[in-house]
């Protein structure tokens, strides 16, 4: 049974890899058409969707059950603020992003201990940097 399961997983993985190559995911052709502004804008908006595994965040920060429910609610608010910033025009985007991050950290300060908040700040700043979002 275990072999059958592993075989099916391997076949699905290979199928997805080959399908991705046929759709141009690995195509570095010099004659390929340039991206449109709409595709570039969609990519930048997608980078603002900060969704992470709250259970793993809870384990990393050592959260209690009460803290987990509060962090989950604050995460929903933070994600909506980031999406508002992503959809804003270029001139307002940075101010809205800075405001959203400052608001999130301020609210988390009421829920987390100082040690947890320090870890959280590091995680948020690293996540934003990895997504290519400049503050």
């Amino acid at each position: 049974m275990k072999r059958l399961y592993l075989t099916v997983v391997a076949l699905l993985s290979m199928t997805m890899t080959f399908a991705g190559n046929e759709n141009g995911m690995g195509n570095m052709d010099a004659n390929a058409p340039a991206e449109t502004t709409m595709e570039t804008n969609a990519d930048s908006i997608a980078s603002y969707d900060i969704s992470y595994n709250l259970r793993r965040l809870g384990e990393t920060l050592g959260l209690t059950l009460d803290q987990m429910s509060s962090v989950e609610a604050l995460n929903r608010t933070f994600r909506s603020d980031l999406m508002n910033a992503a959809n804003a025009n270029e001139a307002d985007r940075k101010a809205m992003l800075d405001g959203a991050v400052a608001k999130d950290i301020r609210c988390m300060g009421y829920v987390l201990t100082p040690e947890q908040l320090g870890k959280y700040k590091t995680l948020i700043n690293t996540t934003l940097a990895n997504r290519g979002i400049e503050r």
Side-chain angles (χ1 to χ4, degrees):
M1 186 69 177
K2 188 175 182 181
R3 285 185 194 178
L4 177 65
Y5 178 73
L6 291 175
T7 304
V8 170
V9 170
L11 285 173
L12 288 175
S13 298
M14 287 188 289
T15 304
M16 292 175 61
T17 301
F18 291 131
N21 289 338
E22 287 178 7
N23 291 330
M25 292 177 71
N27 191 4
M28 299 303 255
D29 187 13
N31 296 327
E35 289 184 341
T36 62
T37 307
M38 185 68 117
E39 290 172 346
T40 305
N41 190 22
D43 289 340
S44 68
I45 289 175
S47 67
Y48 280 80
D49 183 22
I50 304 284
S51 56
Y52 44 82
N53 188 336
L54 289 171
R55 184 184 57 78
R56 287 191 57 197
L57 177 69
E59 289 173 2
T60 302
L61 297 178
L63 300 178
T64 64
L65 290 176
D66 291 334
Q67 287 176 320
M68 279 294 284
S69 61
S70 298
V71 167
E72 184 178 1
L74 290 172
N75 181 41
R76 281 193 301 266
T77 304
F78 181 54
R79 288 178 59 197
S80 68
D81 289 346
L82 284 181
M83 291 311 293
N84 289 337
N87 291 319
N89 61 17
E90 200 65 35
D92 296 334
R93 186 173 294 159
K94 182 168 175 25
M96 290 179 76
L97 173 67
D98 289 341
V101 172
K103 176 184 167 187
D104 183 55
I105 290 174
R106 185 180 67 244
C107 291
M108 287 291 188
Y110 294 118
V111 176
L112 304 176
T113 65
E115 295 83 22
Q116 291 171 332
L117 185 61
K119 285 182 187 178
Y120 181 76
K121 286 179 185 179
T122 303
L123 290 172
I124 285 296
N125 288 328
T126 304
T127 302
L128 292 174
N130 287 342
R131 296 276 184 152
I133 301 172
E134 296 181 19
R135 288 187 49 204

